[in-house]
Amino acid sequence: MYNSIHQFEPLLPQVKADELEIKAARIVQSALRLTSVAHPTARAAVRELVRSINSYYSNRIEGQGTHPANIEKALNQDFSQQPGIAKLQRIALAHIEAEKALEERVDAGESAFSSRFLIAAHQALYSKLSETDRTTEDGHVVMPGMLRQETVKVGEHFPPAAESLPRFLARMDEVYEKPMAWEKSLIAIACLHHRAAWVHPFFDGNGRATRLQTHCALWPLSGGLWSPSRGLARSQQNYYARLINADAPRRGDLDGRGNLTAAGLTEWVNFFLGVCEDQVNFMTRMLDLDGMKLRIEALITFRAAHDKEIRAEAILPLHHVFAAGPVTRAEFAQLTGLGERTARSLLSRLLATRLLSSDMPLGPVRFGLPLDALQFLLPELYPEASQQIIDGDDMDALAIGG
C-alpha cells in the first residue's frame, strides 16, 4: 500500500530529459504559430468544435461516448427519448460546459497545474450531472470534487491509501506548480497527467478530470485549437499501456533514483509529446489558408451538384470570411459577383446550412463549421461525425459497450 510520497518519485524525467526538451520545444514553436492562423472568429468556430470533440473522445475512452450528432442535439437542448442515449448526451454536455468554465478560470489567471484545479475539474464536471447520471453501475454515487475515502484497485495498481491523498497531492503541487518555460511545462503536463492518474484521488471520474486538467494546462499554448484527447482516444491501447508501464517499480540500479521507473516515465512523456505533436501538425495542415480554400471549393462544388440553391460563387466569399473575418450581408453578396436577388438567395441557403452563421437576423456573417461539412472542410478531424445513426440507436455507445 502506498502511503509515503517518496513512493511515487520521480515526478519529472531523469532519463533522456534533454531529448524530451528538444521535442517539446519543437511542439511549442509549432503550436504558437498555429494560434495566429485564420481570423479569430474562424478560430472561435474551431474552438467550439474542439470542445465537442474533446467531450466525445474523453467520454469514449471511458466507454460512454455518444454519437457526435447526439452531442450537437444536446447543445441545442434536444435530448433523445431513449433514456440511455439521453444520459450519454447529458454527460457529453456536462463535459463541454465544464471545459468551458475551466478555460475561463485559466484565462482569469488560475494555475491549471495544481491539485486544486484537478479537484475543481472533477467538481465542474460532476456538479452538472444529476445524482442519477453520476451513479455508477455498481450503485456508487460520485460526489463532485470529493477525494475518495476508500481503498481501491485500478487494474493491477493499488493507488495510495485514502488518508495519504493530501500528502501526495501536496507533493505534486510542489513540483508542478513551479514557473517553467513552455518546453519544460509541456513535459510537466505529461508527468502531471500520469501522476494524477496514478494517485487516483477520486473514487470515479479520474480519467475525465485528469484530461480536463491537461486540456486546461495546455490552453494558453493551444488556444483551444487542439487537444491531446483526440490522439489519446485514437491510440487508446497505447495510452493505457504507457500509463501502466510508468506505474512500474524501478527496473534496477540504472533506472533513475526514485521508487518508480524513471525509464517508464520518460517513455510515457515521449508518447504524450508525440500525441501533442501529431495534433498540432494535423491542425496546422487543416487550418492552412491555401488548403482551406481548396477544401471549400470541393465542398461547394459537391453541394452545388446536389443543391440548386448552392452556387460556385460562394467559394471566394466563404474563404474570405475564414481568412479575414465577418462581413456584412451586403459585402458578402458583393463578393459573390451575383445579382442582388440571386446573391441574397445564396446567402440565405448558406445560413440555413450553417456554412455561415450570424448572431442577429440582419447582422454580419461569419464562417461556420457544421458537422455535415467536416468531411470536406476538416477531413479526418472528426470522422465519426459523418457516420449515420441507424434506427435511432447510438452506434458509438453500442460499439464501445457503454
Side-chain angles (χ1 to χ4, degrees):
M1 179 64 66
Y2 296 105
N3 52 27
S4 178
I5 58 173
H6 82 275
Q7 293 174 305
F8 78 148
E9 297 284 349
L11 273 72
L12 291 170
Q14 298 177 348
V15 179
K16 300 182 179 178
D18 291 343
E19 294 178 21
L20 294 176
E21 285 194 26
I22 292 171
K23 187 172 185 177
R26 187 169 66 239
I27 297 167
V28 170
Q29 291 171 4
S30 298
L32 291 174
R33 285 195 297 269
L34 179 59
T35 56
S36 63
V37 301
H39 188 270
T41 55
R43 295 201 298 270
V46 173
R47 193 174 296 121
E48 291 297 323
L49 177 62
V50 168
R51 287 198 190 100
S52 292
I53 290 171
N54 287 344
S55 172
Y56 170 75
Y57 282 118
S58 188
N59 285 316
R60 175 175 169 170
I61 288 171
E62 302 300 326
Q64 290 187 311
T66 190
H67 195 284
N70 285 331
I71 297 177
E72 186 173 48
K73 289 178 181 179
L75 287 167
N76 294 309
Q77 298 301 308
D78 179 8
F79 294 92
S80 173
Q81 295 300 308
Q82 299 182 49
I85 295 176
K87 177 179 179 179
L88 294 176
Q89 286 180 292
R90 291 190 295 270
I91 292 172
L93 185 59
H95 191 285
I96 292 169
E97 292 175 346
E99 185 168 290
K100 189 172 183 178
L102 292 164
E103 291 165 358
E104 290 172 354
R105 293 174 69 146
V106 175
D107 286 338
E110 185 172 349
S111 169
F113 288 74
S114 70
S115 60
R116 298 179 299 280
F117 195 91
L118 177 62
I119 293 169
H122 193 272
Q123 167 79 24
L125 175 60
Y126 285 98
S127 64
K128 299 182 188 305
L129 295 172
S130 68
E131 183 173 314
T132 299
D133 285 349
R134 51 187 168 84
T135 299
T136 64
E137 291 183 359
D138 60 3
H140 181 91
V141 179
V142 180
M143 302 304 293
M146 180 178 289
L147 298 181
R148 62 178 166 84
Q149 305 298 311
E150 308 89 344
T151 297
V152 295
K153 183 181 181 184
V154 184
E156 296 302 313
H157 172 55
F158 283 95
E163 62 272 14
S164 66
L165 287 175
R167 296 196 297 275
F168 281 89
L169 295 177
R171 175 57 182 156
M172 287 165 56
D173 291 344
E174 287 179 7
V175 174
Y176 300 128
E177 274 202 281
K178 293 178 180 178
M180 306 178 197
W182 256 118
E183 61 270 16
K184 291 183 181 293
S185 289
L186 197 53
I187 292 170
I189 290 167
C191 294
L192 174 57
H193 188 102
H194 178 271
R195 291 315 195 230
W198 185 92
V199 170
H200 199 83
F202 314 107
F203 182 85
D204 195 67
N206 291 273
R208 289 186 177 95
T210 299
R211 286 186 292 276
L212 280 169
Q213 181 183 39
T214 296
H215 167 80
C216 290
L218 288 167
W219 172 256
L221 178 66
S222 72
L225 300 179
W226 59 276
S227 182
S229 287
R230 175 179 176 271
L232 295 175
R234 291 181 159 215
S235 303
Q236 186 169 340
Q237 193 170 6
N238 272 339
Y239 175 36
Y240 284 152
R242 298 293 184 180
L243 286 174
I244 291 169
N245 286 347
D247 289 348
R250 186 181 179 202
R251 299 171 185 173
D253 291 343
L254 300 180
D255 188 15
R257 299 182 298 278
N259 183 60
L260 299 182
T261 169
L265 181 61
T266 291
E267 290 162 8
W268 155 253
V269 173
N270 191 52
F271 167 76
F272 180 87
L273 293 181
V275 167
C276 289
E277 188 165 34
D278 285 345
Q279 298 308 302
V280 172
N281 290 343
F282 176 78
M283 289 306 294
T284 298
R285 293 194 302 273
M286 290 298 98
L287 300 182
D288 172 72
L289 292 181
D290 291 338
M292 180 58 75
K293 184 176 182 180
L294 292 175
R295 293 194 294 275
I296 290 172
E297 182 177 354
L299 170 65
I300 296 302
T301 301
F302 176 82
R303 292 274 177 99
H306 297 84
D307 184 342
K308 63 182 181 181
E309 296 184 71
I310 297 291
R311 301 173 62 101
E313 286 83 357
I315 296 170
L316 176 61
L318 278 174
H319 185 251
H320 179 84
V321 296
F322 173 78
V327 295
T328 67
R329 297 179 186 224
E331 288 169 336
F332 190 92
Q334 186 177 22
L335 285 168
T336 68
L338 297 168
E340 182 180 349
R341 186 173 181 179
T342 306
R344 196 163 53 237
S345 175
L346 174 59
L347 177 60
S348 295
R349 186 58 179 158
L350 293 172
L351 284 164
T353 56
R354 293 179 296 122
L355 289 172
L356 288 174
S357 61
S358 180
D359 295 327
M360 297 177 289
L362 297 177
V365 295
R366 63 180 182 274
F367 193 73
L369 284 170
L371 289 184
D372 60 3
L374 294 184
Q375 58 185 316
F376 282 95
L377 296 179
L378 299 171
E380 298 305 314
L381 173 64
Y382 202 14
E384 295 84 358
S386 63
Q387 296 174 357
Q388 294 183 345
I389 302 178
I390 301 175
D391 297 330
D393 287 329
D394 193 313
M395 292 175 60
D396 207 48
L398 292 173
I400 295 169

